[in-house]
Amino acid sequence: MRYNDSVELSMNRIKSPSEHPPEILSSCRNHLESLQNLRYLILLEVNQPSQVKLHLRMMEQHLNNLAGTLLHGQE
């Protein structure tokens, strides 16, 4: 399941933060920090479309990885 597929379904299966092992929480924090950094870079480079596209592709990868981490951590 991708991060944007049936958000309601996936949200119902996500554990509370205290139920996740520390390595999963660490991975999620790293992905969120990367997403914040890429958002900042997009704002700085808004007049450089090629850079913005690159950052958006990188953001999509981090979102997919974050979703995979959260969903995998439930098994």
Side-chain angles (χ1 to χ4, degrees):
M1 174 179 285
R2 289 179 47 123
Y3 71 91
N4 57 352
D5 294 343
S6 187
V7 173
E8 293 170 9
L9 267 177
S10 62
M11 290 303 290
N12 290 335
R13 296 188 330 224
I14 293 177
K15 298 178 183 179
S16 71
S18 61
E19 296 177 87
H20 286 295
E23 62 274 4
I24 291 177
L25 292 176
S26 177
S27 176
C28 290
R29 281 191 292 271
N30 289 339
H31 287 301
L32 288 172
E33 182 180 359
S34 295
L35 288 166
Q36 290 171 329
N37 291 340
L38 288 164
R39 180 186 173 276
Y40 176 74
L41 289 174
I42 287 172
L43 293 174
L44 287 179
E45 299 171 340
V46 72
N47 293 324
Q48 299 176 32
S50 63
Q51 285 301 108
V52 170
K53 288 177 184 177
L54 172 64
H55 298 321
L56 287 172
R57 283 194 302 270
M58 294 169 70
M59 288 177 82
E60 184 174 2
Q61 289 175 340
H62 281 288
L63 285 170
N64 287 331
N65 291 338
L66 177 60
T69 298
L70 289 171
L71 294 174
H72 176 71
Q74 328 238 353
E75 300 172 351

